[in-house]
Amino acid sequence: MHIYKFSLYLLTLILSTNMLVAQTADEIINKTLENMGGTTKLNAIKTITQEGKVDMGQGREAPIKRYIIPNKALRNEFSLQGQTMVTTIEGNAGWAIRPFGGNKNAEPLPEEDVKTTQFEWDITGGLLNYAQNGSTAEYLGTDDFEGTDVYVVRLTLKTGQIIYHYIDTETYQTLKKVTKVKLGDKEQRNEETYSNFEKTDYGIVVPHSIGEQVTITKTLINQPIDDNLFKMPAKK
Amino acid sequence: MQKILLLIIIFMINNIPSEAQNKKSTANNTPLKSAALSKIAARHIGPAAMSGRVTAIAGVNKDPRIMYVGAAGGGVWKTTTGGSRFKPVFDKYCQSIGDIAIDQQNPETVWVGTGESNMRNTTSVGTGLYKTTDGGEFWTRVGLENTEHIAKIAIHPTNSNIVLVAAPGHLWDANEERGLFKTTDGGKTWKKTLYIDKNTGCADVLINPNNPNIVYATTWQFRRTPHSFDSGGKASALYKSTDGGDTWKKITNGLPTGDLGRIAIALAPSAPDNMFAIVEAKETGLYMSTDGGETWKAQSATSNVTARPFYFSTLVVDPTDAKRVYRPALTFSISTDGGYSFAEPEYFGGGVHPDHHALWINPQNTSHLYLGTDGGVYVSFDKGNNWILLKNLPISQAYHVAVDNQQPYHVYTGFQDNGSWAAPSRKAGGIRNGDWKSLMGGDGFWVQPDLSNPDIVYAEYQGGNMSRINLKTNEQLDIQPYPAAGEAKLRWNWNTPIVKSPSNNNILYTGAQYLYKTENGGITWQKISGDLTTDDHKKQDQENSGGLTEDNTSAENHCTIFTIAESPLDANQIWVGTDDGNLQLTTNSGKTWTNLAANYAKCGIAPGSWVSSIEPSRFDKNTVYATFDNHAYGDCKTYVAKSTDLGKTWTLFSSPDFKSFAHKIKEDLQNKNLLFLGTEMGLFVSIDGGTNWTVMKGNIPEYAMVRDITIHPQTNDLVIATHGRGILIVDDITPLRKLSSDILNADVAFIETSPTPSTNGHYGWSWADAGEFVGRNPNENAQIMYYLKERVTKGDVKIEIYDTQGKFLYDMPGTKRKGINVVDWNMQMKPPKPVKGGSTLDNSGFYAPLLPPGKYKIKLKLNGKEYESYLTLIKDPLSAHNTADQQLQQKTAMDAYNTTEDLAFLAAQIVDMREKIAQIQPQNNNEALQKQLQTYSDSLNNLRKNIMATKEGTNVGFSNDEKLRENLSKIYGAVVSYEGRPTDSHIARLNGLQVEIKDAQKRLADINNQNLPALNEALAKLNLPPLTTLSKEAFDAMKD
């Protein structure tokens, strides 16, 4: 009786540990995409429109807006004291308006900023269709993120850029992303954390907290977006 | 399928009656996990002034700006800028680095072998071989876990999967995992291809770059004991392989006969048949070969080339010039004639720190060198003739640390190879290299400040050479006790204890084999014991230590006193621990002594263990803690124990997370259940009196070599001496004292923090200049601390702050991590509504006056629930301002604040009206109305341009467009940012600006009166709604 019970416990242990460790990069990525809403829904996204705010401390908030045409164009707006900073990319070029110092004209965006901003126009962080896109994925093992167990998956894009996903082992949500992009001489490394995952009406799940200060209040999928939003305005 | 199987099994198990279920269930206690403590984090204060001991340097041949530096106790540091900035990339792993090798074909792949192999007495222990394939972002251990030391890694020049590793193996005992290891599959599997016996490992390995089938390796027989070092034996030899390191043949032709010791080898990359070797033997010598190592010839060389071969094994030939040979050792020697003669470009002391262990030459520019020494990394641009020290690697190896009672307190510490130093624990702008003050040279260990006189400190260099130092007059008095007439030679430990009485600042203790006490600064020492050691004569033969090469630097002194502790509760109770296992106690100030060594052995501690620390409790006279270190006999177990009957019986603490031998046990000053443990691999904390232990790794390397711990009695800072990362400080551990199982078991619980001075801070921090390390200051914000049993996955976490009257002030986002969360609060009011409508931002919108001292309610909202607590702000004790001044400041600040909001309202009215006008303008074609509207808008715009800067363009910052808003913002800033009284000029100016604002308000009223009535009449006629001015209520309700 004892032996029987013991080996059952042992078997359970083996099987349950297996379920934590089993994974290949593919398995983890598939589960993550599934939890995000599934590849069908994700592939059918044509536009993303988001609104939100940045906590500036002591009760002050700065409204933000974001317009995304997945993998094609992105526009970020950030407003302070009624003035709006705009950062836009379309393809491999971009422009920005940085009004706070008094300059209201749009200036072209340096290549470095274009490349790092491009990470944002794929809300799956490179996971969706990664193989078809020429990216390779590698499972690096488990790690700890703020007390939570995560899987670490490294995506190497065709362009050489690297994205690390720290994926919650229980919920299969990306809690942190580290992006690395080499620009000539320099390597630019960025980190971003995610929480407060919400299901949109459309049916995909997006994080509504980014870092510790950014809150997204609205995410709309497939709303029409005026193309002109991405075009660099003429000088004043 | 797995899920179903699991469910079936769970079902079955639940239906089998179990013994376990019948037992009484233990309390459901949530253990304290390491990750939960991450926010109880340390700041690093360095120093990097003299840096620390470097054991490996590897650079990327294709891009020499990328380099990895390995430290003896400080892990691996990476630079991508040729050394102007470094960042640690190995902090989750063993900090003792043996070698680093970069796969030059794929430079993102780097191999790190842990376990420094410069086999000094204090050398640490490695945990194997590690590999990264993304430039250090992630590492995996790939093998050789029990080698403890790795000396060299060689990667095949064209096949990255082939790597050879020379592992000397254990230093203190015999073991089989040593020798030459080879992988052909990138590290997945390993074969030991050259192995002699369990006392002999491999010290070097070299691959011929032109013909990688030719490989060289050297075997080394060596052993260290606590009292001696033996380098050399029959098994040491030079070997050559011609099949890539699978099989080997011994090379002896031309090399010395008899026992050999450590052999270092090098070849000329431009002419690989030319080889060099430093062979430790009865007569250590330099040997050269011109036939690829088949035959050798002795070459005469100076002692700079051949000294201390067990410790200096670096020999490098210039990549392009086969005649240029570098021998970085005690000093830096260069040969330009192929090894026939060596010269030193710089005399000792004028150039680089002595003791060299690594050299990397930029193959693209062979004048460009990086040298790893016991005092940091140096760079040369002229082939080693002149050097610059990189002052940004805080890798000093501290032994002990003490603190004083100055304001702010200073830390005092001694470093291996780098003397004794003192530094402030905080300094405006950060603790810079220049803030570290050098007290004494040599190897530093214990330093004690005189608490009654900040000019006096006690420090030492190795072997008991202690001095009293007057920092003001720069005098040093040697106060080392000497043997009296007829007395035996005194045996001083390498790391001689100099310890203060906890209750009497005038009493100092030190120990050789006897315990000494002084009450007058070392002028008179009383011997208050007999020989407290085992006095084992077999272990006192240091003159003959070294094996083949005599090496007696006091590092091997044995049968000495190592640790001394007087009870804080009873000055007559003094404990002494020796390096040879004795644990001695007196309860009558030294009249009689009892050796309790037999007692600790009964609880599972190896008898004869080195007693590394003793901590008599400050809560109970009969309670004492101690750590024992037996690594010098090959036993790295963590021995820490407690006695509650004055040492008669002991209980051994244990933890599955303990990794290596213990150096220091520290009891908290206020919470008797709070204990800290410093080990060779990690800092640990227990909140339950030692039953459970947790690694503290909040900004502390997980495997930090923690040698000493002290707690400051006023600030409650935990001050840590690490042997490779300098001094670390965890500020104010009061919250740790409050951590209990009640808190850990709660879903959500606040942790009380100390009352915080309401101030904008006195210390701040500046960015380090490239090339310079700057130590951080403590966080001066108020901290809201709470514990979450689970990470918050749904919804936000909000913290609401209420003022001292209970009125809601504002909220801020809280963090969501599992475990302890710490959210900073800058104690400021909500900033005034900014004056909008100018070309630039109104700076006044970004900061606000400080909130006054008092009790502030805070609410934590998450998961649909609410939790309340309080934060207490107190008057800043460091404030230089009297009450009257502070009150004037507060009054003027609020005045400026309200004035800003007045101007903001004025501006908002103008902006609002112009926007409304702009909305109406396109809605009609009436010419007359359009004219009226434009006139009105223009008048408003002129007023706007009058009261704020409106110039646009790229050079606005230099255009000096200063109007009312900018002038007010300047005064607001000046008054609000200073915590004392404003100047008379500030007050007068503010009054003046208020008059100007009144003026502007009148002008606005006039413009409105002149335009609005007629306009609204005209609008009514056209059935358009009237223009209304922005009300105060509407303005107040606006979010900025």
Side-chain angles (χ1 to χ4, degrees):
Chain A
M1 191 57 159
H2 284 258
I3 296 170
Y4 173 60
K5 203 156 33 78
F6 176 74
S7 36
L8 272 183
Y9 276 119
L10 196 61
L11 195 56
T12 319
L13 193 65
I14 293 168
L15 283 178
S16 44
T17 349
N18 238 7
M19 295 175 86
L20 184 67
V21 166
Q23 328 261 352
T24 61
D26 248 350
E27 283 169 1
I28 298 170
I29 291 175
N30 288 340
K31 287 205 189 97
T32 307
L33 290 171
E34 219 177 279
N35 273 286
M36 238 190 256
T39 52
T40 317
K41 274 218 157 69
L42 288 167
N43 276 317
I45 296 178
K46 298 279 170 272
T47 73
I48 305 170
T49 313
Q50 288 184 312
E51 273 175 32
K53 55 196 174 168
V54 179
D55 183 280
M56 302 296 292
Q58 289 123 275
R60 291 163 300 146
E61 287 169 357
I64 56 173
K65 278 208 183 92
R66 169 181 278 200
Y67 303 88
I68 303 178
I69 315 269
N71 302 308
K72 290 208 170 63
L74 176 141
R75 174 183 169 118
N76 275 333
E77 292 179 10
F78 168 79
S79 302
L80 262 185
Q81 295 186 13
Q83 298 180 19
T84 304
M85 183 170 93
V86 180
T87 310
T88 306
I89 55 170
E90 193 174 22
N92 284 321
W95 52 269
I97 300 175
R98 310 238 192 269
F100 305 136
N103 181 12
K104 314 295 176 195
N105 286 317
E107 307 285 341
L109 211 55
E111 192 200 351
E112 189 175 305
D113 293 346
V114 173
K115 288 222 144 46
T116 47
T117 310
Q118 281 173 341
F119 283 117
E120 295 176 43
W121 67 21
D122 178 351
I123 54 156
T124 70
L127 297 178
L128 184 65
N129 307 323
Y130 80 88
Q132 292 97 297
N133 292 337
S135 308
T136 54
E138 196 181 330
Y139 170 56
L140 297 178
T142 55
D143 200 350
D144 166 273
F145 171 71
E146 295 188 354
T148 304
D149 287 329
V150 290
Y151 296 120
V152 188
V153 171
R154 175 174 67 206
L155 273 184
T156 309
L157 308 190
K158 203 163 58 176
T159 50
Q161 291 153 343
I162 302 179
I163 308 176
Y164 296 86
H165 280 256
Y166 290 67
I167 300 169
D168 189 327
T169 58
E170 281 181 19
T171 62
Y172 286 92
Q173 290 162 332
T174 296
L175 300 183
K176 173 167 123 169
K177 246 173 42 203
V178 174
T179 55
K180 294 212 283 202
V181 60
K182 243 202 186 75
L183 292 146
D185 268 4
K186 287 197 295 183
E187 182 179 83
Q188 179 85 338
R189 182 185 186 279
N190 282 327
E191 266 188 39
E192 212 167 58
T193 58
Y194 308 97
S195 57
N196 194 7
F197 293 84
E198 295 267 345
K199 193 171 194 164
T200 60
D201 287 338
Y202 174 76
I204 59 154
V205 175
V206 292
H208 269 191
S209 289
I210 302 174
E212 288 172 17
Q213 292 163 291
V214 178
T215 309
I216 305 290
T217 49
K218 209 190 285 182
T219 301
L220 299 169
I221 307 293
N222 290 342
Q223 294 286 95
I225 293 179
D226 183 357
D227 245 352
N228 287 326
L229 283 173
F230 304 110
K231 307 285 177 244
M232 179 158 150
K235 281 210 191 313
K236 292 212 180 127
Chain B
M1 178 50 194
Q2 278 177 332
K3 279 202 180 102
I4 297 168
L5 207 50
L6 185 59
L7 283 169
I8 293 172
I9 288 168
I10 291 174
F11 173 76
M12 289 169 75
I13 287 174
N14 284 340
N15 290 298
I16 300 170
S18 126
E19 254 174 53
Q21 285 163 3
N22 293 334
K23 273 202 202 124
K24 239 201 276 187
S25 63
T26 52
N28 183 17
N29 272 322
T30 310
L32 177 60
K33 287 186 142 179
S34 200
L37 280 181
S38 297
K39 293 294 273 183
I40 308 289
R43 60 188 165 96
H44 294 226
I45 66 168
M50 81 310 284
S51 196
R53 297 190 54 244
V54 177
T55 51
I57 303 177
V60 175
N61 291 348
K62 286 187 268 210
D63 184 352
R65 293 168 307 172
I66 304 174
M67 284 191 334
Y68 297 81
V69 170
V76 178
W77 295 72
K78 177 179 180 181
T79 177
T80 53
T81 58
S84 65
R85 279 181 229 280
F86 282 93
K87 93 169 181 207
V89 293
F90 205 65
D91 277 359
K92 290 191 179 145
Y93 310 99
C94 177
Q95 296 284 285
S96 175
I97 306 304
D99 196 24
I100 302 173
I102 298 173
D103 178 357
Q104 300 294 351
Q105 301 228 289
N106 315 291
E108 290 286 280
T109 298
V110 181
W111 301 74
V112 168
T114 60
E116 175 191 6
S117 293
N118 308 308
M119 303 299 194
R120 52 175 306 109
N121 61 328
T122 54
T123 216
S124 188
V125 164
T127 54
L129 183 68
Y130 293 77
K131 178 182 177 185
T132 178
T133 51
D134 53 13
E137 188 86 30
F138 276 93
W139 299 88
T140 326
R141 179 161 59 181
V142 292
L144 280 55
E145 286 159 27
N146 194 24
T147 47
E148 291 194 355
H149 298 275
I150 288 173
K152 206 51 135 329
I153 303 167
I155 305 174
H156 192 286
T158 54
N159 181 346
S160 303
N161 282 323
I162 299 177
V163 179
L164 296 146
V165 180
H170 290 201
L171 175 59
W172 306 92
D173 66 336
N175 80 306
E176 286 181 355
E177 193 165 315
R178 56 169 107 211
L180 202 292
F181 293 85
K182 177 176 175 179
T183 181
T184 51
D185 56 10
K188 292 193 190 71
T189 59
W190 294 89
K191 238 170 64 178
K192 194 164 69 177
T193 64
L194 178 57
Y195 174 76
I196 313 298
D197 59 42
K198 55 189 175 68
N199 299 310
T200 309
C202 264
D204 212 343
V205 62
L206 199 51
I207 300 177
N208 183 317
N210 292 354
N211 180 356
N213 278 327
I214 300 177
V215 187
Y216 307 88
T218 65
T219 55
W220 183 27
Q221 181 180 344
F222 65 97
R223 179 64 41 75
R224 190 175 270 285
T225 73
H227 52 90
S228 73
F229 180 58
D230 191 1
S231 176
K234 305 211 175 338
S236 310
L238 171 66
Y239 285 84
K240 179 175 176 179
S241 167
T242 48
D243 59 8
D246 290 326
T247 62
W248 300 86
K249 82 166 185 236
K250 193 189 304 205
I251 303 283
T252 54
N253 192 329
L255 293 176
T257 53
D259 288 355
L260 300 182
R262 185 168 192 166
I263 303 168
I265 47 176
L267 52 75
S270 58
D273 281 344
N274 290 1
M275 295 189 65
F276 305 83
I278 293 176
V279 181
E280 182 180 15
K282 200 124 202 315
E283 293 227 1
T284 299
L286 173 69
Y287 291 79
M288 309 209 298
S289 167
T290 50
D291 58 6
E294 293 289 331
T295 63
W296 294 81
K297 220 166 84 164
Q299 172 59 43
S300 66
T302 57
S303 64
N304 285 327
V305 175
T306 57
R308 297 188 103 198
F310 84 93
Y311 194 53
F312 301 127
S313 60
T314 313
L315 190 57
V316 181
V317 186
D318 184 287
T320 56
D321 178 0
K323 293 233 171 296
R324 194 170 180 86
V325 185
Y326 295 100
R327 170 58 175 166
L330 176 65
T331 55
F332 193 78
S333 303
I334 310 175
S335 170
T336 48
D337 56 13
Y340 291 97
S341 65
F342 281 82
E344 281 167 73
E346 280 287 333
Y347 58 95
F348 186 166
V352 296
H353 192 288
D355 298 351
H356 309 153
H357 304 291
L359 175 66
W360 188 73
I361 303 171
N362 177 356
Q364 294 185 28
N365 170 11
T366 57
S367 297
H368 186 200
L369 276 52
Y370 288 88
L371 177 67
T373 75
D374 277 351
V377 175
Y378 289 79
V379 60
S380 169
F381 299 104
D382 62 2
K383 290 196 157 82
N385 285 293
N386 292 286
W387 299 91
I388 301 171
L389 172 66
L390 298 184
K391 297 203 177 108
N392 50 8
L393 284 169
I395 52 175
S396 48
Q397 294 191 298
Y399 280 98
H400 303 278
V401 64
V403 296
D404 67 11
N405 49 9
Q406 290 187 71
Q407 179 57 254
Y409 71 87
H410 283 58
V411 301
Y412 300 83
T413 182
F415 303 121
Q416 180 52 47
D417 277 286
N418 288 302
S420 303
W421 296 73
S425 58
R426 60 210 70 200
K427 179 120 189 265
I431 302 159
R432 299 187 164 260
N433 286 333
D435 295 318
W436 282 86
K437 190 188 171 81
S438 173
L439 307 171
M440 195 168 181
D443 300 334
F445 299 91
W446 288 87
V447 183
Q448 297 291 359
D450 181 335
L451 295 181
S452 64
N453 183 350
D455 292 333
I456 302 293
V457 297
Y458 301 88
E460 60 174 322
Y461 66 86
Q462 64 273 30
N465 290 285
M466 59 194 80
S467 294
R468 168 155 52 91
I469 303 167
N470 186 320
L471 299 174
K472 215 186 217 134
T473 63
N474 210 21
E475 291 175 291
Q476 297 191 1
L477 169 66
D478 162 38
I479 58 170
Q480 182 176 30
Y482 291 98
E487 228 181 22
K489 173 174 159 178
L490 291 177
R491 302 191 297 271
W492 298 99
N493 191 285
W494 170 251
N495 176 355
T496 295
I498 305 173
V499 174
K500 298 182 71 154
S501 159
S503 45
N504 185 337
N505 175 61
N506 292 325
I507 294 176
L508 265 183
Y509 298 97
T510 190
Q513 65 266 47
Y514 315 111
L515 183 64
Y516 291 91
K517 171 178 173 181
T518 180
E519 294 184 69
N520 58 8
I523 299 291
T524 320
W525 288 98
Q526 283 172 273
K527 193 160 98 172
I528 61 172
S529 78
D531 188 333
L532 295 177
T533 73
T534 62
D535 193 19
D536 183 345
H537 288 258
K538 290 199 270 5
K539 299 179 180 171
Q540 293 174 35
D541 195 20
Q542 282 79 35
E543 274 145 27
N544 295 324
S545 178
L548 285 169
T549 313
E550 228 172 73
D551 199 276
N552 180 18
T553 58
S554 77
E556 289 79 21
N557 285 4
H558 204 58
C559 301
T560 67
I561 290 173
F562 186 76
T563 187
I564 306 162
E566 180 195 289
S567 166
L569 297 175
D570 176 5
N572 295 316
Q573 183 191 117
I574 308 168
W575 294 84
V576 163
T578 69
D579 60 8
D580 55 0
N582 281 354
L583 180 62
Q584 303 268 15
L585 169 66
T586 179
T587 49
N588 53 22
S589 295
K591 293 194 192 64
T592 58
W593 289 87
T594 316
N595 186 5
L596 304 167
N599 300 351
Y600 71 70
K602 292 194 188 122
C603 82
I605 299 171
S609 289
W610 189 302
V611 182
S612 45
S613 77
I614 305 169
E615 175 92 340
S617 173
R618 57 184 54 238
F619 300 97
D620 172 48
K621 240 173 72 158
N622 294 317
T623 298
V624 62
Y625 303 87
T627 54
F628 305 83
D629 169 4
N630 201 32
H631 85 274
Y633 290 99
D635 166 15
C636 290
K637 284 206 254 332
T638 315
Y639 293 126
V640 50
K642 173 183 181 179
S643 169
T644 49
D645 54 12
L646 222 48
K648 294 190 193 61
T649 59
W650 293 84
T651 317
L652 186 64
F653 291 143
S654 68
S655 165
D657 293 330
F658 284 163
K659 298 179 200 69
S660 197
F661 48 98
H663 291 293
K664 172 74 183 181
I665 174 84
K666 180 79 199 143
E667 182 194 55
D668 183 50
L669 305 181
Q670 292 186 18
N671 177 346
K672 66 177 201 259
N673 289 318
L674 184 59
L675 301 171
F676 299 93
L677 177 68
T679 71
E680 188 72 352
M681 292 185 184
L683 174 67
F684 293 82
V685 62
S686 172
I687 60 172
D688 58 9
T691 310
N692 294 291
W693 293 89
T694 310
V695 182
M696 275 183 76
K697 54 180 191 181
N699 205 28
I700 301 171
E702 200 167 333
Y703 287 69
M705 300 178 195
V706 179
R707 287 266 183 163
D708 197 8
I709 304 166
T710 190
I711 300 174
H712 197 281
Q714 271 86 50
T715 64
N716 302 304
D717 293 352
L718 186 72
V719 182
I720 302 153
T722 71
H723 208 62
R725 296 297 280 268
I727 303 299
L728 312 187
I729 301 178
V730 180
D731 294 298
D732 191 7
I733 55 167
T734 306
L736 257 187
R737 292 179 176 149
K738 306 239 162 43
L739 207 54
S740 64
S741 58
D742 280 346
I743 289 180
L744 295 179
N745 288 332
D747 285 333
V748 178
F750 277 102
I751 301 170
E752 207 183 313
T753 51
S754 303
T756 313
S758 176
T759 172
N760 285 320
H762 298 281
Y763 298 106
W765 190 69
S766 318
W767 286 104
D769 308 321
E772 181 97 9
F773 170 80
V774 181
R776 299 207 75 126
N777 281 318
N779 183 347
E780 291 173 277
N781 285 316
Q783 296 187 305
I784 297 157
M785 199 180 284
Y786 52 93
Y787 168 84
L788 298 178
K789 197 194 255 182
E790 295 299 336
R791 177 181 181 72
V792 175
T793 49
K794 278 232 160 317
D796 276 331
V797 175
K798 273 230 172 335
I799 298 171
E800 290 180 349
I801 316 249
Y802 294 76
D803 71 12
T804 52
Q805 316 303 318
K807 195 177 99 189
F808 173 72
L809 278 175
Y810 44 76
D811 61 34
M812 49 194 202
T815 51
K816 302 166 174 159
R817 62 186 304 142
K818 182 173 172 171
I820 295 178
N821 288 265
V822 179
V823 178
D824 283 354
W825 178 40
N826 67 6
M827 302 174 283
Q828 286 180 9
M829 285 175 59
K830 189 173 173 138
K833 281 197 150 59
V835 182
K836 290 198 254 194
S839 57
T840 56
L841 295 177
D842 180 11
N843 291 327
S844 301
F846 290 98
Y847 51 91
L850 282 167
L851 289 161
K855 223 166 150 193
Y856 290 78
K857 181 165 77 178
I858 46 176
K859 276 194 201 171
L860 178 63
K861 291 181 158 168
L862 55 95
N863 291 335
K865 297 206 180 88
E866 247 179 54
Y867 305 86
E868 252 180 52
S869 183
Y870 282 90
L871 259 190
T872 307
L873 301 189
I874 54 176
K875 253 178 81 144
D876 177 17
L878 291 180
S879 173
H881 313 290
N882 62 43
T883 312
D885 282 356
Q886 288 174 329
Q887 284 173 344
L888 183 55
Q889 189 273 341
Q890 281 152 20
K891 177 171 174 295
T892 316
M894 282 319 296
D895 199 3
Y897 183 104
N898 292 329
T899 307
T900 302
E901 293 216 319
D902 287 344
L903 187 57
F905 178 43
L906 176 63
Q909 289 175 293
I910 295 171
V911 169
D912 174 75
M913 185 55 77
R914 294 192 73 225
E915 276 172 8
K916 284 169 174 163
I917 293 171
Q919 273 178 9
I920 296 189
Q921 277 173 319
Q923 287 181 41
N924 75 92
N925 303 328
N926 187 308
E927 234 186 83
L929 180 64
Q930 288 297 335
K931 231 178 130 184
Q932 268 177 300
L933 288 168
Q934 196 54 48
T935 308
Y936 187 22
S937 183
D938 287 346
S939 303
L940 289 170
N941 199 27
N942 286 335
L943 180 56
R944 181 183 77 99
K945 287 196 203 166
N946 237 267
I947 63 172
M948 60 182 87
T950 50
K951 281 202 195 143
E952 296 184 359
T954 46
N955 279 326
V956 156
F958 298 96
S959 71
N960 239 343
D961 189 3
E962 280 169 14
K963 299 284 187 317
L964 179 51
R965 177 185 86 160
E966 288 68 41
N967 293 332
L968 177 60
S969 188
K970 182 140 194 276
I971 297 301
Y972 173 77
V975 172
V976 166
S977 64
Y978 186 66
E979 291 167 39
R981 64 149 293 169
T983 65
D984 288 340
S985 200
H986 289 147
I987 298 172
R989 174 63 152 165
L990 180 59
N991 289 336
L993 293 171
Q994 286 163 342
V995 168
E996 280 184 45
I997 290 174
K998 275 209 160 44
D999 207 51
Q1001 284 167 337
K1002 182 164 182 309
R1003 277 186 289 156
L1004 176 62
D1006 287 345
I1007 294 172
N1008 284 343
N1009 288 336
Q1010 281 158 21
N1011 289 276
L1012 262 180
L1015 254 176
N1016 280 337
E1017 220 184 284
L1019 286 168
K1021 285 209 184 99
L1022 297 167
N1023 275 322
L1024 290 166
L1027 291 164
T1028 55
T1029 58
L1030 179 69
S1031 70
K1032 188 72 173 39
E1033 291 73 39
F1035 169 71
D1036 286 341
M1038 275 165 75
K1039 284 186 174 236
D1040 39 64

